[in-house]
Amino acid sequence: YSFALPKPGQSLALHLLMLDAIRNRWSQRSFSRRKCFLGVVGATVSVWVIIISWSFWTRGHPTVIKVHSEIPHGIVRVETRIIACGCQAKVGSVSVWPPGSDDKRTQFKVGELRLFEFAGKAAAQSLYYRCHTEADDDGEHQLSFLAGAQWISVQVWEEPHDECGEETARVKINSWKSADFLVSVPFSSHLDGFACVKVPSLLTTNKGTQIAIVEARRGSCSDFAQTELLYRRSEDGGRTWSASNTLVTPEENPKTVCNMPLVVGNAAPVQLRADSKRHPNRILVPHTRNNFRTWVVHSDDDGVTWSDPVEIEGAQITDEEPDCERDMSYFGFGLDNGFQSINLDDWLRFARVVGWGRQNPYREQPWMGKLSGPWQFIGVGPPGSLQTRTGRILVPGYHSFIRGVETGFSQLYNNFALGHILASDDDGDSWRLMVHEAVHEDMGEGANERQFVQLRNGSIVVNSRSLSTGSLQFRLQSRSDDDGESFTPTRFIDVPQGFNGCQGSLQVGGEEDTLYVSGPDPAPNLGALPVAVGAFGAFPNFTGRDHVSVWSSKDGGQSYQKEILIDEGESGQTSLQYSEGKLFILYEQAEADVSYLQAMLRTSIFGHVKVQRPSRVIFRALTEDDIPALR
């Protein structure tokens, strides 16, 4: 018979007939031992031919065994492809199917996600898709991957197309592979009407439940977009998650500022201990509205249900309304007027300060003199608050004196901030405002998004995002030895920041009071423009948000060493929790939101510095196998 085999099923039937013939000849004892030996050899070869032919067949046409509506736990991303349906009429839906699996053709609408799981170790190397418009469709297209994948996710959303300026469907296709650690995806962007999810906060409760909280933004990923707080719970260590729910439900017609949508964000959760006097085990989530007022919600049932939000009175030093028009001219630079009225002198003066001045804005004029008056922009956390051993609750806050206009340069400088604290000594029934950072020549390096932990000796350590815009790009740290009544000036530590900083996180654990800090460890920016600027002696480090990592310190925060790289791709803001010898991290993961060629061109010119739009929020558990310091 021929070795040019047909499909595996037909081949199998042919081989079974041959084996049956050998069996019959054996029973009739009508052949010699030599013929018997040849028959056995032939049967063995036939079995191997079946295995090899089946392998080649399944490799070319892997079998889909399941289609998921969200990303399951235990897999990590590998490759990403972004495609657009072109300048078509409005796209109603998209069909996707793997080669050889036309019966698994899946049609789904904009704002949905599907994940194809393939049998065994079979690897899918391509995928077919078709965009369906109101008028017609644009035919079948095939998308190939550089490496095969056991899982392929497909997500569809709408946004303006660069070439035609009209909204059309974008299709993001990711390949995934198995992970040998616990990892899951509690939240994905472009689902349920939200443009993106970001600013994660993680809380491990006294019962061991994981509560993941994110800001979910509608319309865009802007800090000024309509924003809600969503949460999900996991009772199995982060493997599976409850349905997504809204954490804060504002009253009807809530107050907004500056004619902008309502922004509910900056979650800073904390759970009270079981020995708390008034509200044992209560979970508190301080948060802000419009980055101008501070509110709080609570739960007494491990985060299953939540109270109505309550405003914390006296939590800020503000006027009734912020100055919505205040921009960089407040600091003496006319940079927010657009290209129609460029003031070259202002730009040159600013370039000298930021690029070549090597100034510390917290210690030099005119910047230092502008850190006064009513607060214009307020945040708490993120990502968490602290209950000290005395029972006191400390909510880290920060405030700045410029809100920044939505489309202007001044957004970078609402990070030019100072710190404050909201404290409660009655389990959150009442609060008082503590402002520590008076403006003086030795005020440290300011403060921004930050988190507290308490050491065994009672000291409180705070780790903070820094300005990182024309100043040194490292994280900040400070300490209190009187239960938060006063703090040392903030100082830089050896943990890097990308340009304009990034939310990080701080935890403490173990018998040696090991401190853990998370955040991006950005790769060098090799874009043509940053390299050219550096050639002229400018020193800003135009790095982005990527390579989320964890650092540790065994000397109370005096020095840090890098322990583990968490994500080797685009990845940003983080939240840590420590519990029973394990470290848990919730972080933003992103990928290019343009085509592969566009991403290459942008990176070659500008490098990795850009406004990041997270694609999803990742949960991962870390053990002593990952971080030796956990032993």
Side-chain angles (χ1 to χ4, degrees):
Y1 57 90
S2 171
F3 279 91
L5 295 172
K7 291 183 178 181
Q10 301 169 0
S11 174
L12 179 62
L14 180 63
H15 298 151
L16 290 176
L17 287 173
M18 188 197 73
L19 291 175
D20 186 62
I22 293 175
R23 182 186 61 81
N24 290 335
R25 294 291 299 273
W26 177 269
S27 63
Q28 297 172 4
R29 300 180 183 274
S30 60
F31 56 91
S32 66
R33 289 185 177 180
R34 180 182 178 186
K35 291 181 179 180
C36 177
F37 174 76
L38 292 175
V40 172
V41 171
T44 303
V45 171
S46 297
V47 171
W48 279 104
V49 169
I50 293 173
I51 294 173
I52 294 172
S53 61
W54 180 259
S55 173
F56 275 99
W57 176 259
T58 56
R59 180 174 179 177
H61 301 280
T63 303
V64 177
I65 60 173
K66 192 172 184 180
V67 179
H68 304 262
S69 59
E70 65 178 9
I71 309 299
H73 71 88
I75 62 176
V76 294
R77 70 169 178 188
V78 181
E79 289 184 73
T80 302
R81 295 287 185 270
I82 302 287
I83 56 177
C85 288
C87 299
Q88 306 285 345
K90 187 174 180 63
V91 175
S93 61
V94 175
S95 294
V96 180
W97 66 100
S101 298
D102 193 68
D103 59 321
K104 293 295 183 180
R105 182 185 296 249
T106 301
Q107 183 172 338
F108 50 100
K109 299 179 181 179
V110 170
E112 294 183 332
L113 179 148
R114 295 291 185 271
L115 181 135
F116 297 90
E117 181 179 353
F118 299 93
K121 295 184 178 180
Q125 293 183 310
S126 63
L127 206 65
Y128 288 101
Y129 69 92
R130 180 192 295 266
C131 298
H132 305 280
T133 69
E134 294 176 340
D136 199 353
D137 62 60
D138 63 349
E140 295 182 2
H141 303 276
Q142 186 174 14
L143 188 69
S144 299
F145 292 92
L146 297 178
Q150 191 177 347
W151 292 270
I152 295 179
S153 66
V154 183
Q155 192 171 7
V156 183
W157 73 94
E158 279 187 337
E159 67 180 20
H161 192 285
D162 294 337
E163 296 178 3
C164 55
E166 299 178 359
E167 283 202 347
T168 187
R170 285 188 180 271
V171 184
K172 175 182 288 186
I173 301 179
N174 282 93
S175 61
W176 303 74
K177 66 179 181 180
S178 296
D180 58 359
F181 46 81
L182 175 54
V183 61
S184 59
V185 185
F187 299 97
S188 293
S189 296
H190 303 299
L191 297 180
D192 302 320
F194 295 106
C196 79
V197 290
K198 61 184 309 182
V199 192
S201 296
L202 181 65
L203 179 69
T204 304
T205 72
N206 299 339
K207 290 185 177 181
T209 302
Q210 301 289 349
I211 300 179
I213 304 172
V214 295
E215 293 184 12
R217 300 180 177 180
R218 297 187 183 274
S220 74
C221 213
S222 165
D223 289 343
F224 298 98
Q226 180 183 339
T227 303
E228 304 172 28
L229 285 175
L230 302 181
Y231 77 97
R232 299 184 74 177
R233 301 172 69 254
S234 175
E235 297 181 351
D236 58 6
R239 290 173 176 81
T240 60
W241 298 85
S242 67
S244 178
N245 290 287
T246 301
L247 179 70
V248 177
T249 304
E251 69 282 3
E252 188 176 355
N253 298 319
K255 181 178 176 58
T256 60
V257 299
C258 300
N259 296 316
M260 303 298 291
L262 180 65
V263 176
V264 181
N266 283 159
V270 62
Q271 185 171 26
L272 307 185
R273 293 190 300 273
D275 61 357
S276 295
K277 295 180 180 179
R278 296 195 181 193
H279 306 296
N281 296 309
R282 171 170 286 186
I283 300 172
L284 300 170
V285 184
H287 58 278
T288 61
R289 285 195 192 182
N290 307 305
N291 287 108
F292 197 64
R293 292 285 189 267
T294 304
W295 294 64
V296 65
V297 295
H298 71 262
S299 172
D300 291 318
D301 57 7
D302 203 45
V304 177
T305 61
W306 297 87
S307 69
D308 291 332
V310 175
E311 184 175 0
I312 299 177
E313 299 292 339
Q316 57 276 319
I317 302 173
T318 63
D319 290 336
E320 186 64 25
E321 296 282 344
D323 183 349
C324 302
E325 302 300 323
R326 184 178 289 184
D327 57 17
M328 287 300 291
S329 61
Y330 178 70
F331 299 113
F333 302 99
L335 309 180
D336 289 307
N337 301 322
F339 290 104
Q340 295 179 351
S341 57
I342 294 178
N343 188 322
L344 183 59
D345 179 65
D346 281 350
W347 278 102
L348 290 176
R349 287 192 301 110
F350 182 74
R352 285 195 294 270
V353 170
V354 174
W356 290 270
R358 298 181 183 269
Q359 296 181 2
N360 180 341
Y362 289 96
R363 298 182 185 179
E364 300 185 25
Q365 300 293 351
W367 304 92
M368 182 177 163
K370 296 296 184 179
L371 296 174
S372 62
W375 302 351
Q376 303 297 322
F377 190 90
I378 298 165
V380 295
S385 302
L386 171 71
Q387 185 184 31
T388 71
R389 294 191 183 89
T390 65
R392 172 174 290 178
I393 304 168
L394 298 176
V395 180
Y398 64 96
H399 57 274
S400 63
F401 301 90
I402 178 173
R403 286 188 68 81
V405 293
E406 183 178 13
T407 58
F409 192 84
S410 56
Q411 272 200 67
L412 296 175
Y413 277 86
N414 61 20
N415 287 336
F416 184 39
L418 301 176
H420 65 267
I421 293 174
L422 298 178
S424 175
D425 292 308
D426 54 11
D427 288 2
D429 287 346
S430 64
W431 300 87
R432 65 186 175 97
L433 175 64
M434 297 193 296
V435 182
H436 295 132
E437 293 176 344
V439 179
H440 54 80
E441 293 184 357
D442 192 22
M443 60 187 300
E445 311 295 338
N448 202 280
E449 298 162 340
R450 54 189 187 154
Q451 192 168 19
F452 298 141
V453 296
Q454 188 169 30
L455 305 181
R456 291 176 181 269
N457 64 6
S459 294
I460 296 170
V461 178
V462 55
N463 190 275
S464 172
R465 172 180 178 171
S466 64
L467 175 61
S468 295
T469 307
S471 56
L472 293 179
Q473 293 178 212
F474 296 93
R475 292 194 65 79
L476 300 172
Q477 192 164 281
S478 182
R479 178 185 296 264
S480 171
D481 293 314
D482 54 11
D483 211 35
E485 291 291 337
S486 63
F487 281 81
T488 61
T490 52
R491 63 175 181 85
F492 290 112
I493 61 172
D494 193 23
V495 176
Q497 290 268 267
F499 182 74
N500 201 231
C502 182
Q503 171 196 319
S505 190
L506 173 70
Q507 286 290 285
V508 64
E511 296 181 358
E512 297 182 0
D513 264 356
T514 302
L515 292 171
Y516 300 96
V517 172
S518 60
D521 185 14
N525 192 336
L526 301 179
L529 185 59
V531 169
V533 171
F536 285 95
F539 73 93
N541 188 10
F542 291 107
T543 51
R545 295 180 178 181
D546 52 75
H547 293 81
V548 158
S549 303
V550 174
W551 291 259
S552 71
S553 172
K554 291 183 178 293
D555 55 11
Q558 296 299 311
S559 61
Y560 284 86
Q561 63 178 12
K562 186 173 176 178
E563 288 284 354
I564 184 174
L565 171 65
I566 301 295
D567 195 304
E568 63 184 11
E570 290 188 35
S571 43
Q573 306 187 104
T574 62
S575 179
L576 287 175
Q577 288 284 275
Y578 177 90
S579 179
E580 297 181 351
K582 293 183 180 180
L583 202 61
F584 305 100
I585 186 170
L586 191 70
Y587 71 94
E588 300 169 347
Q589 186 181 75
E591 48 244 348
D593 49 13
V594 294
S595 69
Y596 182 70
L597 291 178
Q598 287 175 309
M600 281 186 58
L601 179 62
R602 185 171 65 184
T603 301
S604 65
I605 297 175
F606 299 103
H608 297 294
V609 62
K610 67 174 184 175
V611 178
Q612 190 174 84
R613 301 198 302 177
S615 303
R616 61 194 66 86
V617 170
I618 303 292
F619 171 90
R620 179 173 171 183
L622 301 167
T623 67
E624 61 182 27
D625 293 332
D626 304 303
I627 300 180
L630 288 170
R631 295 192 178 114

